[in-house]
Amino acid sequence: KIGFILPIIIIGGIVFILTSCIKWTKYPPEPDIKFESYLLKDTTDDNGDPTQLLILNISFTDGDGDIGLRNSDTISPRTSCFDSTCNNLYIDRYGIKNGESQQPLPLNYRIPYITPTGQNKTLTGEIKVEILQFLLFPYDTLVFDIYLYDRELNQSNVITTPQIVINN
C-alpha cells in the first residue's frame, strides 16, 4: 500500500508547490492610466500639404479587463454615444497662445474590445493616440486632459500631459 500512496503524495506535493508559486497581481476594477510620452513629427496630409502629427502614449491597467467596445456596443448608458458614434477614451485639448489658455476642444476616441480570455482578466497595455495638427493651428502650446471609461462605466483617473510646444 505504501508503494502506491507514496507516488500520489509526491505528485500531489509537486502540483501544490507549482500552483502556489503562481501569483497574479490584483488591480482595482477601475481603469488606471498614466501619461508616458509624446512624439511630434512633421508629415504631410492626404493632399500633400505639410502638417504635424502628435502621438500621445498612454499606459493603462484594468483589474477586470473590461476595456474597449464591440462594434455592437452602440446604446447608452453603457457607452457614450452621439449620432451612432460611441466612445470610451476622452481627451480635452487646451490650446495656449501667448500664455493664455483657450476653451478646451473635446476629442473622443473609441478603443476596441480587448478583454483577454482565461481566468485572469487583468489588462495592462499602451494606447497610442494620433492627432493631426494643422500648421495654421492658432496655438503655440497644447495641453491634454485624458480619461477612459470601461464597459461598466468606471472612469479612470484623469491625467494631464505636460505642455507640448508645437511648431507653426
Side-chain angles (χ1 to χ4, degrees):
K1 285 187 171 183
I2 292 196
F4 176 71
I5 295 176
L6 188 58
I8 292 176
I9 292 173
I10 291 173
I11 291 172
I14 291 171
V15 169
F16 175 76
I17 290 170
L18 290 176
T19 57
S20 66
C21 292
I22 298 173
K23 301 247 190 253
W24 290 331
T25 303
K26 196 96 162 114
Y27 294 101
E30 300 83 17
D32 182 58
I33 60 175
K34 180 181 173 192
F35 175 75
E36 295 294 336
S37 64
Y38 72 90
L39 174 66
L40 187 62
K41 66 181 194 174
D42 293 326
T43 186
T44 56
D45 64 15
D46 293 340
N47 297 326
D49 296 324
T51 189
Q52 290 180 321
L53 182 65
L54 174 63
I55 302 169
L56 300 174
N57 296 310
I58 306 154
S59 63
F60 70 91
T61 58
D62 186 64
D64 56 4
D66 60 346
I67 298 289
L69 300 172
R70 292 184 173 97
N71 288 337
S72 60
D73 291 334
T74 59
I75 300 173
S76 295
R78 293 185 53 85
T79 61
S80 173
C81 299
F82 179 73
D83 290 338
S84 300
T85 303
C86 300
N87 301 295
N88 49 8
L89 178 66
Y90 297 90
I91 300 176
D92 289 328
R93 178 178 71 188
Y94 296 87
I96 301 170
K97 180 74 170 179
N98 299 325
E100 289 191 36
S101 181
Q102 308 298 314
Q103 286 287 85
L105 173 67
L107 305 170
N108 303 325
Y109 296 89
R110 183 181 179 105
I111 298 172
Y113 184 88
I114 54 174
T115 300
T117 58
Q119 186 177 5
N120 183 7
K121 298 291 184 193
T122 299
L123 273 176
T124 60
E126 188 170 289
I127 299 167
K128 291 183 184 277
V129 179
E130 295 184 356
I131 302 170
L132 198 58
Q133 300 298 329
F134 298 99
L135 291 181
L136 298 176
F137 199 62
Y139 309 116
D140 53 43
T141 306
L142 296 173
V143 174
F144 298 88
D145 286 340
I146 305 167
Y147 57 97
L148 169 68
Y149 279 99
D150 65 15
R151 287 189 301 279
E152 290 299 318
L153 296 181
N154 294 313
Q155 181 182 327
S156 73
N157 54 310
V158 178
I159 58 173
T160 301
T161 66
Q163 290 189 355
I164 301 169
V165 177
I166 58 174
N167 303 321
N168 285 329

